[in-house]
Amino acid sequence: MTLADTLHRYRIAGFLALAGLVVGLGLLAWREGPRLPEAYRYRFGGLLEARSETRRSAYQAEIAFYQERLRRNPGSGLDLAALAGVYLKKGRVTGQSSWYLLAQQAAERSLEALPFFNTGALLVLAEIAEAQHDFGRAARIAGQILKEERSNPAARALLASVYLAQGRLEPAEHVAEELVAQNPTPGHLVQRALVRLARGQDAQALADFRQAVALEEPDDFYGAARTRSLLGRYHLRHGEAGLARGLLEEALRIAPNYPLALLYLAELETRQGRYRAAEKLYQRILPQDRQTYQLYDHAAYTGLARLARLQGSPREEAAWERAESVLRREIGQGAFGHRRELARLLLERGRPADLPEALRLAQAELKVRQDSETLEVLAWALERGGRLEEAQRVIERALATGRREASLYHRAARIAGALGQQERAERYGSSLRTIDPAFDPVRAGVDDPLSGQPAAVHQAVDDPLSGRSAAVHQWHDPLSGRPAAVHQAGAGGVE
């Protein structure tokens, strides 16, 4: 072979390698979608490195300041209320339950020292009650504050959050509109955006998110990270993976290890079949000291159990049991109650014996919050128990809120298909594909892998309401009328 031939072959090989690289990058871009638009980038990026230590030790200086003041004057109700507020902020950004407990203790001590006109301490207790899903108590405390300070924006914003969590969308919208009209802060705009998403007003909600980003202040690192995390969740669940990834990674650039951003980014990796990457993100949420627990532990452990199932891991059962134990511990302690989340876990795990408890939990949760998520879980439990007409009424209530969530339409399509309403099932399926063309119910955690198998399986379980036996069914694919393919463990691009 001549030197010219050798050089020619090297040139061809180099050309092919370059072509492969271009194609690979093109496929990656196609898979991920567009990069993060400039409008969503953090405008104060130059501050991030300069104040990295400040972010790592968020609120520690404030805590030390008030602790020193209290050392000199232990009975100061105002200083105790201020310290409680800082503890609460620390709990929100870290997800660590110990900060919430410290906040509650400091607020209670503050009210003992200063029982009247102590708005700061009352607000802390109201926000902790909301985090515990004790919405009645949260609303009562907020009302107590508003009797003394009729226009207190923090108390009114808390009421809007409570109304939204309860599914009371009209009063939530009313309060959110008033707050934005009086003071369009980023926090108030995000609050209104969440209400608008719950009502299916997506375009208006996105405009609120964009305005919130435009009005950000340079030192509100965690507010900026929260806005992008919530917006990233929206785009993730509407089939826009590239934009979702950009927003969530930007949130983590602003606030490293911010739990919400880690949680939604892990969900994105799971949906795209990048299971090892998802597992690393869930592990970052969990505390190093397993004797303590955090607000998002249950979500991380549930995500890890889902990953074990998707990969066909022999550790799957242990992973579900770990997630279940965390949720039961939190419910048993009365802190950060997660009855709905436990019901969802039991349904996703798919054991027939768990069905009566899942149904009871969903029904109990509906008494305190009637939002679309709770209605969706109840419809799932009713469908699993073969109570299809009831399930359809419940899921139609959820759809009537207007919320455009693929999982709602997935549930509605399954139920309609099981009832033989093929045209309605196809209509719901069409809406689902419009909202999120890449939706996979197993990866999204709204079905177990066997739920779409052919040949309906019937297992008798006790109906907790009537005492009669109810049938547990597994149905054909309601969108096509054909038996749905069983989800293969580890399929879809496992890393």
Side-chain angles (χ1 to χ4, degrees), residues 395-441:
I395 200 64
E396 285 178 351
R397 280 180 61 189
L399 293 173
T401 65
R403 190 176 194 100
R404 298 181 69 255
E405 192 82 21
S407 61
L408 293 178
Y409 286 91
H410 163 74
R411 186 65 48 208
R414 280 183 54 84
I415 293 167
L419 285 167
Q421 301 167 353
Q422 196 59 33
E423 184 177 343
R424 180 182 287 190
E426 290 173 358
R427 187 168 65 249
Y428 288 141
S430 177
S431 297
L432 183 160
R433 289 185 290 271
T434 299
I435 295 168
D436 185 357
F439 181 75
D440 179 330

Side-chain angles (χ1 to χ4, degrees), residues 42 213 216-217 220-229 250-251 254:
Y42 188 57
V213 170
E216 285 172 347
E217 297 292 335
D220 188 13
F221 297 122
Y222 292 95
R226 178 176 180 265
T227 299
R228 286 164 180 78
S229 298
E250 186 75 352
I254 299 166

Side-chain angles (χ1 to χ4, degrees), residues 347 350-360 381-387 457-473:
L347 291 166
R351 291 178 182 171
D354 289 336
L355 177 59
E357 183 183 10
L359 183 56
R360 284 195 300 270
L382 290 167
E383 177 207 355
R384 187 67 64 80
R387 296 163 61 174
V457 176
H458 304 270
Q459 281 183 282
V461 297
D462 289 334
D463 181 336
L465 300 184
S466 67
R468 298 188 302 272
S469 290
V472 179
H473 301 272

Side-chain angles (χ1 to χ4, degrees), residues 57-252:
S57 57
Y59 307 117
Q60 288 303 122
E62 286 185 82
I63 290 170
F65 173 78
Y66 288 113
Q67 285 176 335
E68 175 60 23
R69 286 177 64 96
L70 286 164
R71 187 184 66 79
R72 298 176 184 175
N73 183 11
S76 171
L78 291 177
D79 286 336
L80 281 165
L83 180 61
V86 182
Y87 283 150
L88 181 61
K89 288 190 287 187
K90 184 76 172 178
R92 285 201 199 107
V93 303
T94 63
Q96 294 174 359
S97 60
S98 57
W99 293 111
Y100 286 87
L101 179 59
L102 288 171
Q104 181 173 341
Q105 291 170 343
E108 289 171 348
R109 287 171 55 205
S110 174
L111 285 169
E112 289 174 6
L114 185 64
F116 301 107
F117 301 104
N118 192 345
T119 300
L122 287 172
L123 271 172
V124 168
L125 293 178
E127 294 194 35
I128 290 172
E130 185 208 6
Q132 293 171 329
H133 301 167
D134 189 348
F135 301 120
R137 182 165 183 258
R140 285 193 298 273
I141 297 173
Q144 183 180 342
I145 294 168
L146 291 171
K147 284 181 181 178
E148 298 178 358
E149 300 179 29
R150 295 186 58 137
S151 60
N152 185 291
R156 292 166 70 211
L158 178 66
L159 269 182
S161 295
V162 168
Y163 292 149
L164 179 60
Q166 291 176 319
R168 300 170 61 189
L169 299 184
E170 287 190 12
E173 182 178 41
H174 177 72
V175 176
E177 292 283 3
E178 283 190 340
L179 286 168
V180 171
Q182 291 171 11
N183 190 9
T185 64
H188 291 164
L189 285 160
V190 169
Q191 179 78 57
R192 188 172 71 175
L194 294 175
V195 174
R196 286 176 161 178
L197 287 179
R199 300 201 71 141
Q201 301 167 353
D202 290 19
Q204 298 95 316
L206 292 175
D208 279 345
F209 276 122
R210 285 192 290 270
Q211 190 177 356
V213 170
L215 295 175
E216 285 172 347
E217 297 292 335
D219 286 329
D220 188 13
F221 297 122
Y222 292 95
R226 178 176 180 265
T227 299
R228 286 164 180 78
S229 298
L230 294 171
L231 185 54
R233 177 185 65 179
Y234 171 85
H235 288 293
L236 162 63
R237 297 181 182 178
H238 286 72
E240 298 171 303
L243 185 51
R245 182 180 296 279
L247 285 160
L248 296 170
E249 289 179 347
E250 186 75 352
L252 290 171

